[in-house]
Amino acid sequence: MDQEKKLDEFVDRDEEKWVYDSSVDYKGRVPLRASTGAWKASLFIIATEFSERLSYFGLAANMIMYLTKVLHQDLKTAAKSVNCWSGVTTIMPLLGGFLADAYLGRFSTVVASSLIYIMGLLLLTMSRVVPGLKPGDEGSFSGPGRAHEVVFFLAIYMISIGTGGHKPSLESFGADQFDDDHPLEKKKKMSFFNWWCFGLCCGLLLGVTVIVYIQDHVGWATADIILTAVMASTTAIIWIGRPLYRYRKPMGSPLTPLLQVVVAAFTKRNLPYPSEPDQLYEVPKSTDKNQPGTRFLLHTKKLRFLDKAAIIEDVHDSRKQNPWRLATVTKVEELKLILNMIPIWMTTLPFGICVAQSSTFFVKQSTNLNRNIAHGFMIPPATVYGFAAISLIVSISAYDKILVPFLRRITGNDRGIDILQRIGIGMTFSIATMIVAALVERKRLAIVGGDRKNSLSMSVFWLAPQYVIIAVGDCFTLVGLQEYFYDQVPDSMRSLGIALYLSVLGASSFLSSILITVVDRVTEKGGRSWFGEDLNSSRLDYFYWLLAGITAGNLLIYSFVARRYSYKNVRKPTVAVADCYVQGSHGAMP
């Protein structure tokens, strides 16, 4: 008892000096709170995200234009090509996040994936400057050449691989700079996700304005050279910031313990449930010294059949130490967390389908509108995405600096509003987006009236409302999803958690492509496809109404699922952590 009291006093005395979680500094020592982590470290990380998003959206926002003008794909094929690439790009983080959590570590994964990303940008640049790989003129219908197509698609999918490791690792690495169990840093972490998205949107805004303008008016190769140089520079910057970061060591596959719970529960499926939860097996806090900072989860009553994995068959049985035969309550609860996330993940997919339209059909609509804004200056089609970027920057700033402090005073909740409530609010904006988009497209078709030139009498600023509304929805739903999947997954799966958030967008892009194919075939049998050879022969307004109806019905299901959701309930061990640190994991400690 004296030793335990001494260790508790040690924690109380030095809790502002040392970081009491499983992080280490760049030399493998216990990190000092004052000189590592928090905003001084995360600013390097947000700057890196800025450059990556600048590159990504500089390519993604204008890709449908490149596919239709340079590769001469029709609208339907180009939209599906963009959706397929976007889907792969946002599904790949599942692999990257797993490798980061299990084996490579988040920082190492960021650096390695950045190098792959740069190689993809270099290859893309080569496809536009090397004589044997260059495409033909945009006005030519002779085709871009097979070699160019092969190298182009190889390059963009190499960028997908780079993004797969970069996105989940970088964001989770940034969130790791804040201590969950320190009240002040915990509040800062909530703001981190907002300002992370702020940096992302700044990169997006420059990508869809400056980079897209250079692509359309200077040259695609010039834009690629700029993106490559920026990406290489920020990779060097994040390397320079190494002394400021807090690192989490990889602890092996996070999926293995989950599988062990399933096997143990199935093996003991015929055993009766214990009368009290206290009879279930848990590692005593005072002996859990191999994983300093490990947080224990409290028992919940949901999915009780999994509790059998933690039933102790015989206190004298040596098999109780076999993880395939006996799991701790914490491991059981971690599996429950993942299973409880599946309905939330599924019910956010329709929102992602709505978001997918902003980089495909919304951009293509702008080509048939008047884009002259002043003194004959014509904005590139993809620049209309800037409406969303500006709106998202304003929305996030207002949310973090005005709405959250106000809601904290009203509700007493540190977050202002519940995470799932925030996600649900954003979903309502996606419904409004599709309704507005349908009305605008219907007006455009009415103005065209069979004459393609008439559409140029309608200003491109008619698209601004739908971009503004979807941006406000993103402020609630996308930022909320980032925080939700990072916070609610097991601590050993933080990068995979961010990957799960990204997979919502990836799966939604694939679903959008499938939906386009299905709707095209069904409506074609009805006499006229909603997706013609060009916009004026299409009925995108009908498609938008369909998405609005799907999203509205899904919102009801999401509301039901969210009300039944139980959040992670954590208790942190203190004695074991302090004991590990007292034993000299940092040479300067007493």
Side-chain angles (χ1 to χ4, degrees), residues 86 91 243-244 248 312 347 366 376 379 408 434 538 577:
S86 299
I91 288 294
L244 299 177
R248 301 293 179 94
I312 302 174
T347 51
S366 69
I379 63 173
R408 281 173 177 168
M434 290 299 104
S538 302
V577 176

Side-chain angles (χ1 to χ4, degrees), residues 31 36 38 47 53 67 75 82 90 192 202 213 222 251 265 276 305 405 463 550 557:
T36 63
R53 291 292 89 181
L67 293 174
L75 175 63
V82 173
T90 43
F192 166 78
C202 289
Y213 181 84
T222 304
M251 303 177 66
E276 296 293 336
F305 63 92
L463 296 179
I550 292 173
I557 301 173

